[in-house]
Amino acid sequence: MQPPTFQDVQEAVTHVRQVLSPTPLYEWPGLSLLTGTKFYLKHENYQPVGAFKVRGGINLVGTLSEAERQAGIMGCSTGNHGQSLAYAARKFGVKCTIVVPKNNNPDKVRAIKLLGAEIIEQGEDFDEAKQYLEQVLVDGKRRYVHSGNEPKLIAGVGTQAIEIFEKLKTPDVIVVPVGMGSGVCGTGIVARHLNPSTEIIGVGAENAPANQLSWKAGSMQTTESALTWAEGVATRSSAELTQEIMKSVVDDFLLVSEDEMRIAAYHIMKETHNLVEGAGAAALAAILKNQDRFQGKTVVAVLSGGNLNLAELPEILRLGSQL
């Protein structure tokens, strides 16, 4: 499996822009003041499924062969990857099946269903759901779309970085939340080509550090649990392709706590009036946790998704009210 190139991302722009409009890149004065940076948010929460993943879904499903479209697609997701595939499948007339963990974010499950996909609930977390899909459902007929080991997904997601550099030629740092790694890889591939001096930093949850451990070790690492409210980064394992790419495009990988993501979500809602999910708040959380490192720099934080489980909102507001 060959990693995508910058040319692949450029080609993906054509496919993605036939369906999706560019998302805003806004500097927010309140967040700049809070962080001591020139702070921009890349608003992937403005996508029609509320998250960045849809870029990859459009690029992959839109370039399937006719035989693959007839057979259908399937994937495993805690929500945003599933919505991405379901949205793209509906757009191109393809049958879609998504496996989700039991007790998943109910709003994300409902959104996937409303887009026309079949939902199968299996496993206590993402990794167990993925294991079920790979051991029971993969049949050599339907196209299994892995959330990380897919060059077309990574290239599609990389179009978010093309849009960043169209508006902001030389950002000092781009901070990207990492679930299975397609976002940080696509962004890193583009940055290395357009402005190699831009630092690319991945962010994960302290309670789900498998991706950071794998990146640091240079080999695949797993953890026994991934107990984070930020389901977008809640994985006990990593993906081979994205880890290989991350070796050459990621400059650092930071971790943040559960409450640090909640507090960052509060600040985003207060200053921008945008709803944000845990993974979407992770980039700001990392910047706030490491403020000395970012002082005075032009920083882009990718707000990867706004699909917040509203049951989390009271705790976010409670913590915010104590600041």
Side-chain angles (χ1 to χ4, degrees), residues 36-39 172-173 199 292-299:
T37 69
K38 190 170 185 179
F39 185 90
D172 294 310
V173 188
E199 191 177 14
D292 289 347
R293 175 175 185 166
F294 297 99
Q295 285 292 302
K297 294 184 178 181
T298 298
V299 178

Side-chain angles (χ1 to χ4, degrees), residues 1 53 56-57 60 73-77 81-82 84-85 97-98 126-127 130-131 133-134 138 142-154 157 179-182 211 220 235 237-243:
M1 187 183 301
K53 290 276 191 179
L60 186 144
I73 62 173
M74 56 184 173
C76 179
S77 176
H81 176 57
S84 162
L85 295 183
T97 300
I98 302 296
F126 171 81
D127 293 87
K130 177 172 169 286
Q131 184 179 44
L133 184 153
E134 293 177 347
V138 172
R142 290 175 291 178
R143 174 72 152 78
Y144 170 32
V145 184
H146 192 281
S147 55
N149 293 328
E150 289 286 357
K152 290 281 189 178
L153 282 187
I154 296 167
V157 168
M180 292 302 284
S182 61
N211 273 291
M220 302 294 284
T235 175
S237 60
S238 49
E240 294 85 353
L241 178 59
T242 51
Q243 281 293 326

Side-chain angles (χ1 to χ4, degrees), residues 174-187:
I174 304 177
V175 187
V176 189
V178 180
M180 292 302 284
S182 61
V184 76
C185 288
T187 300

Side-chain angles (χ1 to χ4, degrees), residues 91-110:
K91 176 69 179 178
F92 295 107
V94 177
K95 184 178 179 180
C96 178
T97 300
I98 302 296
V99 181
V100 301
K102 299 173 186 176
N103 303 313
N104 199 57
N105 180 336
D107 295 334
K108 289 185 176 180
V109 174
R110 179 174 181 269

Side-chain angles (χ1 to χ4, degrees), residues 9 39 47 59 65 73 102 111 140 153 162-163 177 186 198 205 208 218 232 250 265 288 290 296 317 322:
V9 181
F39 185 90
Q47 294 287 8
N59 191 48
S65 68
I73 62 173
K102 299 173 186 176
L153 282 187
I162 295 283
E163 294 172 13
T198 297
V250 171
L288 290 172
N290 301 274
L317 296 176
Q322 297 176 350

Side-chain angles (χ1 to χ4, degrees), residues 51-62:
F52 78 105
K53 290 276 191 179
V54 68
R55 297 173 180 272
I58 291 295
N59 191 48
L60 186 144
V61 179

